[in-house]
C-alpha cells in the first residue's frame, strides 16, 4: 500500500488537497489483479495546518520584536537613570506599557493587525480624567504587530512627558490627537495646550531617555520622521510614516 498527498483544482478553479492511497488487490493465489485508488478530500485539514504554521511564524516574529524592544528599553534606562531606584521604576513602567502594547497587538492575532484607536485608548487610559482633557479624532487605522508595539510605546512616552511638563500636568491642560492618510505618508499629530508649558522644560526633556526612545522607535521601527515645535503654552509633535512601511 502506498499513500501520499496531492493537489487538485475544483470546477471553480479553487485549489484543494487530497490524500491518495493505492492498494493492490491480489487473487486467491497471491497474484496481483488490480490496483485500488482511494482519494479523500483533506483540504480543510491542510488549510488548518497552514493557518497554524502562519500563527507560529507570527508569534515567533512578535517574540523577537519584544526581545529587541525590551533590550533597548533596559539599555537606555540604565544609561539615563541616576539611581538604582530610578532605573527600577522607569523600567517597570515601560515594561508595563510594553505589556499593554502586546495585549493590543494580540487581540486580533489571526489577522495580525491592531487598530490605532485601540492602541490609544489602552495606552492613555491611566491619564483620562473627568472633565475630559484628552481628545482623539481619527478614523480606524490598522498597523501590524511590530508597528503597533512601537506606537503604544511612543504614546506612553509622549503622555509621560505631558504629565511632567505638558498638558496633563494640570487640570486646565488639553491634549488633542489626530491623524490622516496623506498621499505618500501617514501623518500623526500630538498637540498639547496648557498655561504651564514652557519650551525650556521640553528642550531639557528631549535630551533624556523618553525622547531618545521615541526617536529610535519612529526611525527604527516605523521608518518615519518626527518633528517638534514648542512655544509658550503649546507643544506640537508630528510623526510622518511612509505608506510603504505600513504594508
Amino acid at each position: 500500500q502506498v499513500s501520499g498527498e496531492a493537489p487538485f483544482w475544483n470546477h471553480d478553479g479553487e485549489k484543494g488537497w487530497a490524500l491518495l492511497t493505492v492498494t493492490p488487490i491480489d487473487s486467491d493465489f497471491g497474484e496481483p489483479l488490480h490496483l485500488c485508488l482511494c482519494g479523500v478530500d483533506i483540504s480543510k485539514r491542510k488549510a488548518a495546518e497552514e493557518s497554524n504554521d502562519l500563527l507560529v511564524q507570527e508569534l515567533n516574529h512578535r517574540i523577537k520584536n519584544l526581545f529587541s524592544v525590551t533590550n533597548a528599553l533596559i539599555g537606555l534606562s540604565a544609561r539615563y537613570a541616576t539611581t538604582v531606584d530610578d532605573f527600577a521604576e522607569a523600567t517597570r513602567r515601560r515594561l508595563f506599557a510594553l505589556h499593554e502594547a502586546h495585549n493590543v497587538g494580540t487581540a486580533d492575532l489571526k489577522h495580525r493587525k491592531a487598530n490605532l484607536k485601540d492602541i490609544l485608548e489602552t495606552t492613555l487610559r491611566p491619564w483620562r480624567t473627568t472633565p475630559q482633557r484628552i481628545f482623539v479624532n481619527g478614523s480606524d487605522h490598522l498597523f501590524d504587530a511590530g508597528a503597533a508595539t512601537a506606537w503604544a510605546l511612543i504614546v506612553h512616552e509622549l503622555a509621560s512627558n505631558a504629565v511632567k511638563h505638558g498638558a496633563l500636568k494640570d487640570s486646565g491642560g488639553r491634549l488633542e490627537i489626530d491623524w490622516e492618510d496623506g498621499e505618500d505618508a501617514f501623518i500623526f499629530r500630538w498637540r498639547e495646550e496648557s498655561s504651564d508649558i514652557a519650551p525650556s522644560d521640553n528642550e531639557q526633556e528631549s535630551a533624556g531617555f523618553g525622547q531618545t526612545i521615541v526617536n529610535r522607535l519612529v526611525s527604527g521601527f516605523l521608518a518615519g520622521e518626527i518633528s517638534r515645535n514648542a512655544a509658550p503654552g503649546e507643544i506640537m509633535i508630528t510623526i510622518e510614516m511612509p505608506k510603504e512601511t505600513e504594508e
Side-chain angles (χ1 to χ4, degrees):
Q1 188 181 69
V2 179
S3 62
E5 298 175 356
F8 69 88
W9 285 262
N10 62 23
H11 62 279
D12 292 325
E14 296 178 349
K15 183 181 179 180
W17 286 87
L19 175 63
L20 303 178
T21 302
V22 179
T23 304
I25 306 299
D26 296 338
S27 68
D28 294 338
F29 301 102
E31 297 176 347
L33 295 177
H34 308 284
L35 292 175
C36 178
L37 175 63
C38 179
V40 178
D41 189 341
I42 58 170
S43 300
K44 290 184 178 181
R45 192 194 80 188
K46 291 289 289 185
E49 290 175 352
E50 291 175 359
S51 178
N52 287 338
D53 288 342
L54 287 174
L55 288 177
V56 170
Q57 292 176 24
E58 177 63 17
L59 282 173
N60 287 335
H61 177 66
R62 293 188 182 196
I63 289 171
K64 290 179 180 178
N65 279 340
L66 287 173
F67 275 119
S68 176
V69 175
T70 301
N71 183 57
L73 288 173
I74 293 174
L76 288 170
S77 292
R79 182 184 306 173
Y80 288 97
T82 55
T83 66
V84 173
D85 288 341
D86 287 343
F87 169 74
E89 177 61 18
T91 302
R92 183 192 67 79
R93 286 189 292 104
R94 279 147 182 148
L95 287 179
F96 181 76
L98 185 61
H99 165 73
E100 291 294 302
H102 180 69
N103 286 342
V104 174
T106 55
D108 190 6
L109 183 61
K110 182 177 181 180
H111 297 95
R112 301 183 289 174
K113 298 288 184 179
N115 195 320
L116 180 58
K117 284 185 175 180
D118 295 334
I119 296 171
L120 289 166
E121 175 60 32
T122 300
T123 309
L124 294 173
R125 189 177 299 137
W127 294 287
R128 287 196 177 275
T129 60
T130 303
Q132 185 62 262
R133 295 182 297 164
I134 301 175
F135 301 89
V136 178
N137 182 31
S139 59
D140 291 337
H141 197 94
L142 301 179
F143 290 106
D144 64 27
T149 299
W151 275 110
L153 289 170
I154 288 168
V155 172
H156 171 80
E157 295 300 332
L158 294 178
S160 297
N161 187 59
V163 169
K164 290 184 287 185
H165 306 292
L168 302 182
K169 183 178 179 180
D170 68 281
S171 58
R174 179 184 179 93
L175 169 60
E176 296 180 357
I177 303 169
D178 67 83
W179 58 90
E180 64 176 321
D181 277 314
E183 184 175 346
D184 300 316
F186 172 77
I187 303 171
F188 176 89
R189 288 180 287 265
W190 176 287
R191 185 170 182 264
E192 301 178 37
E193 294 180 348
S194 173
S195 59
D196 286 347
I197 291 177
S200 59
D201 290 338
N202 285 277
E203 289 171 3
Q204 182 178 0
E205 177 67 14
S206 67
F209 171 82
Q211 294 300 336
T212 299
I213 194 62
V214 167
N215 293 344
R216 291 195 179 185
L217 288 169
V218 171
S219 61
F221 281 81
L222 304 182
E225 297 181 352
I226 182 170
S227 62
R228 300 177 179 85
N229 294 288
E234 181 178 296
I235 301 170
M236 170 67 84
I237 297 173
T238 304
I239 297 174
E240 293 192 16
M241 179 178 175
K243 283 290 185 67
E244 60 268 18
T245 308
E246 304 178 57
E247 301 175 355

